[in-house]
Amino acid sequence: MSGWRDVDPAEITPEHVYRNRRAFMRGIGALAVGAGGAALSACGPMPGDGTGEMSPVWPAAEGDVPQETPNTLEQITTYNNYYEFSTDKEAPARLARGFKTEPWTVTVGGMVSKPATFAMEELLQRFPQEERTYRLRCVEGWSMVIPWLGFPLRQLLEQVEPTSQAKFVRFEAVKRPEEMPGQKSPFYAWPYVEGLRLDEAMNDLALLVTGLYGKPLPAQNGAPLRLALPWKYGFKSIKGIVKIDLVDKQPTSLWMAAAPNEYGFYANVNPDVPHPRWSQSTERRIGEVRRRRTLPFNGYAQQVADLYKGLDLRQNY
Amino acid sequence: MPVQRLATAPQPVPLGRETLPARRGQWARALTHLASLVPLALLIWDGAQGQLTVNPIQEITQRTGKTALALLVLSLACTPANRVLGLRVALLLRRPLGLYAFLYASLHLLTFFVLDYGLDVELIWGAVAEKRYVLAGLGAFVLLVPLALTSTRGWMRRLGRRWKPLHRLVYLAASLAVLHYVWLVKADIREPLLYGAAVAVLLGLRLPPVRRALASLRLALSAS
C-alpha cells in the first residue's frame, strides 16, 4: 500500500517494546508459576511489562498531559476479541493470518450529498495519519493502552456532507464466512454492525484506525480499517469496516440484537452501570496484577460528557 | 446384607479389593490420578513457558473451572457406568474423581478471590452480590465442601445411613455449576449446554423408573 511509505516506523515505534518482548514473556511466566503459591496478590505491575516508560495519552492538554504505559505489541496483537474469527482471544492472531485486506473499499452513503466509495489507498493519501495513544476498556473487565494510527472519523464524514436528516451513523463490517470461520456461528447476526449518534461520530476522539505502533494494522486488530472510540466499551469499535451509512434512525448493533438487556446503543464506559457478568467498577490492565478502578467514560469525561447532558445514562447504557 | 440389594442400591462404601480383579482396579485408579493431575501439570508448565495468554489470571480461572466441572461430571458418571454398563471398576474411581473436582474448584475459587480480586473484601462483596453467576458458582462450591470432608471411610462409618443422602448434594452442586457456566458465557452457550446435557442424562439415569426400566432391559439382554 503506497500510503504507508510516508510513515517511517522507526520514528514512532518505541523500540524498547520490541527489545523487551523476551523479558515480557519471562514476566508472564513468573506470574503463572506464582499461581502455584499465592504470594502474588501483593505484586504491582509485572516485571518487564514494557520498560515502565510512559507516553502521553491523546489529547494532550497544555500542562496536564496524562501519562500511560502503552501495552506491548505482543499483548495488543495476541489477545483479541474478534468473533468473526473466533470467540477464543488467542485464535484471531492465527486465523486472520491469511485474511485478504487488499483490495479494500469503503462505501460511504445514505443521507449524504456526496456518496462515495473509497479505496483504502485513497483514504490513506487523503487523510493525514496521526498517532494517538488511547485507553481501551473491554466490557469484559480488561483494558489496554494502545498507540493507534489513524484519522478522525469527522474528516471522512465532512467529505461526504451529511444532509440535515442524518442523525446517526451506521457501520457495517466485512462478511466473508469462508475466510472468517467465526461467521459460521449461528448465535450472531453477521455482519457486525455498530452505530453512533452523528454528534458522537463528529467528536474529535472518534478515530478511524489504520495502524498500530506506526505500522499497518494487523488483521486480528481489524485491518485495514476499524474504529477507536476510547470512551465506549471496546465492542463499539467495529473492525473490518466496509460500509458507512448516514441514517435517520438509531441503528441496531449486532450486540444489541444478541443480548438487548446487556448491551445498549451507547455502551459508554460507566462504572455505575453493572453488567450481569463482568465487574464494571474495576478493570484489569493487561500486564498488571491488581485491578484498577474504572473511570466514567474511561477517563475521557472532559471530552465527551457534554454529549450526554440530560440523558439518563443508567437507562441509556 | 442380602446380595440382591447391591444390584439396585449400591452401598456408598467402595467395593472391597477382593470383589474385583485387584490389578484392574489398581490400574484404573492409578490412571485416574494421573489423568486428573494432567490439567494442573499443563497449567504449571504453560505458566512457566509464558503460554497463559497476556491475561493469565483469566486463563487460570477458566482452565481450573472447566476442569472442575468436567471431573464433577465424570464422578457423576461412575454410578450409572456400573449400573447400566456393568463397569464395576467405575465405582472405585468415584471418590478420587470427586475429590479432584473439589481440588480444581478450590483452585478456581482461590484464583478468583486471591489473584483476581486481591482479597479486597469490598470488591468481592460487590462482585458476589451483584452477579448471579458468582452466586451459583459459590453455591456449588459450598455444597462440595462437606462432601469432600466426609469422603473418608471413617466419615462413612460415622454417618452410616445418613452418608448417602448427604452425598446426593452433589446433584445440586453439579446443576449449580452448569448454571454458573451458562450464565457467564456471552451468547454462544453450546459448551455449557453440553455439560448441562451430560448432567441431565446422568441425573436422569438415577430416577427410579429409569433405573427399573434399565435393570429389566439388562436382565432381558443377559438372558437372550
Side-chain angles (χ1 to χ4, degrees):
Chain A
M1 283 191 286
S2 55
W4 289 110
R5 307 239 166 77
D6 303 339
V7 180
D8 179 3
E11 271 178 33
I12 307 168
T13 311
E15 240 202 292
H16 68 261
V17 171
Y18 302 98
R19 273 194 277 109
N20 277 283
R21 209 178 287 177
R22 289 278 129 207
F24 160 73
M25 292 311 285
R26 282 196 299 276
I28 287 278
L31 170 67
V33 169
L40 236 166
S41 60
C43 305
M46 282 193 293
D49 57 347
T51 49
E53 219 165 283
M54 310 281 264
S55 2
V57 171
W58 202 91
E62 288 259 337
D64 178 30
V65 185
Q67 298 277 309
E68 295 268 18
T69 309
N71 282 92
T72 63
L73 188 66
E74 187 91 39
Q75 290 167 329
I76 298 166
T77 57
T78 61
Y79 196 73
N80 306 99
N81 268 335
Y82 202 167
Y83 279 24
E84 278 87 336
F85 288 103
S86 169
T87 54
D88 173 25
K89 290 182 182 50
E90 290 194 298
R94 182 164 32 86
L95 296 170
R97 223 168 267 159
F99 183 68
K100 277 189 67 178
T101 57
E102 289 174 68
W104 193 280
T105 57
V106 183
T107 305
V108 190
M111 295 167 165
V112 298
S113 311
K114 294 189 197 161
T117 296
F118 299 91
M120 251 335 269
E121 293 78 4
E122 213 180 327
L123 289 180
L124 291 165
Q125 269 162 15
R126 197 185 292 235
F127 304 102
Q129 309 292 303
E130 50 183 288
E131 181 165 84
R132 289 195 190 177
T133 300
Y134 278 169
R135 287 180 289 272
L136 179 144
R137 168 63 156 81
C138 178
V139 72
E140 296 170 351
W142 53 268
S143 62
M144 291 196 194
V145 176
I146 305 179
W148 298 116
L149 199 62
F151 59 98
L153 170 62
R154 188 188 57 232
Q155 293 179 2
L156 178 66
L157 296 179
E158 281 168 352
Q159 193 82 41
V160 296
E161 295 176 10
T163 65
S164 59
Q165 291 130 287
K167 298 283 180 285
F168 294 92
V169 189
R170 180 185 181 277
F171 302 86
E172 194 176 303
V174 63
K175 185 180 176 183
R176 281 191 224 154
E178 65 289 352
E179 281 178 74
M180 304 175 116
Q183 288 186 336
K184 290 175 183 139
S185 165
F187 292 90
Y188 305 97
W190 306 108
Y192 203 95
V193 169
E194 262 306 340
L196 289 173
R197 237 168 44 197
L198 185 55
D199 58 341
E200 294 181 304
M202 298 301 260
N203 187 280
D204 212 18
L205 277 181
L207 192 71
L208 274 169
V209 168
T210 57
L212 175 63
Y213 265 123
K215 293 193 168 138
L217 202 58
Q220 63 267 35
N221 293 86
L225 189 69
R226 64 167 291 167
L227 274 179
L229 307 164
W231 74 99
K232 292 176 180 285
Y233 292 119
F235 65 85
K236 289 293 287 185
S237 297
I238 182 171
K239 303 181 179 83
I241 299 169
V242 292
K243 202 159 169 282
I244 300 174
D245 281 312
L246 280 289
V247 293
D248 58 353
K249 290 197 179 61
Q250 179 177 292
T252 302
S253 71
L254 175 135
W255 281 111
M256 288 163 76
N261 56 326
E262 293 179 22
Y263 308 105
F265 174 74
Y266 286 98
N268 292 319
V269 175
N270 190 342
D272 297 328
V273 174
H275 185 276
R277 284 187 296 278
W278 306 291
S279 170
Q280 299 310 29
S281 55
T282 61
E283 66 198 55
R284 169 163 297 105
R285 178 70 51 82
I286 295 300
E288 293 180 356
V289 173
R290 305 195 78 143
R291 285 177 171 267
R292 292 170 174 245
R293 298 256 162 212
T294 292
L295 302 170
F297 300 109
N298 201 20
Y300 295 96
Q302 214 187 325
Q303 288 79 36
V304 298
D306 280 352
L307 291 168
Y308 309 105
K309 261 188 191 152
L311 197 68
D312 182 351
L313 292 173
R314 284 183 160 273
Q315 292 298 314
N316 299 279
Y317 51 89
Chain B
M1 189 175 296
V3 180
Q4 296 96 307
R5 273 211 67 192
L6 260 179
T8 52
Q11 291 306 290
V13 180
L15 297 174
R17 293 254 158 82
E18 68 279 5
T19 60
L20 271 173
R23 262 212 197 136
R24 213 175 124 206
Q26 272 165 3
W27 271 108
R29 276 198 143 162
L31 258 172
T32 303
H33 283 283
L34 213 67
S36 304
L37 285 168
V38 165
L40 184 60
L42 275 177
L43 191 69
I44 293 169
W45 175 258
D46 285 343
Q49 303 287 312
Q51 301 285 324
L52 290 175
T53 81
V54 299
N55 195 353
I57 294 175
Q58 182 181 278
E59 181 74 6
I60 297 168
T61 307
Q62 290 176 352
R63 285 209 206 175
T64 50
K66 277 189 192 184
T67 310
L69 184 53
L71 289 170
L72 201 58
V73 168
L74 284 176
S75 79
L76 277 177
C78 292
T79 304
N82 170 51
R83 209 178 274 147
V84 179
L85 306 173
L87 276 173
R88 298 185 74 193
V89 70
L91 294 180
L92 285 177
L93 313 180
R94 193 170 48 189
R95 177 163 61 181
L97 284 171
L99 283 172
Y100 277 115
F102 180 70
L103 169 72
Y104 283 98
S106 308
L107 291 174
H108 184 64
L109 204 77
L110 272 175
T111 309
F112 180 77
F113 283 139
V114 182
L115 291 188
D116 200 350
Y117 280 88
L119 290 177
D120 185 322
V121 176
E122 188 199 340
L123 277 185
I124 291 170
W125 176 248
V128 171
E130 181 187 280
K131 313 262 185 276
R132 57 182 186 174
Y133 87 90
V134 179
L135 288 175
L138 212 54
F141 181 80
V142 168
L143 289 174
L144 287 180
V145 173
L147 307 196
L149 292 178
T150 61
S151 65
T152 59
R153 276 172 195 259
W155 272 103
M156 283 179 176
R157 257 197 311 276
R158 235 167 294 171
L159 289 170
R161 286 183 158 278
R162 284 168 302 165
W163 189 89
K164 206 168 153 183
L166 174 70
H167 277 250
R168 286 204 177 108
L169 282 178
V170 74
Y171 306 160
L172 186 57
S175 307
L176 281 173
V178 169
L179 204 59
H180 168 70
Y181 194 7
V182 170
W183 277 343
L184 70 83
V185 295
K186 272 187 199 167
D188 186 348
I189 54 169
R190 278 176 292 190
E191 209 173 314
L193 281 189
L194 214 65
Y195 283 103
V199 169
V201 167
L202 293 173
L203 294 189
L205 287 172
R206 288 168 159 85
L207 293 172
V210 178
R211 273 166 57 176
R212 276 194 295 276
L214 284 169
S216 52
L217 186 71
R218 271 198 75 191
L219 217 66
L221 282 175
S222 60
S224 67

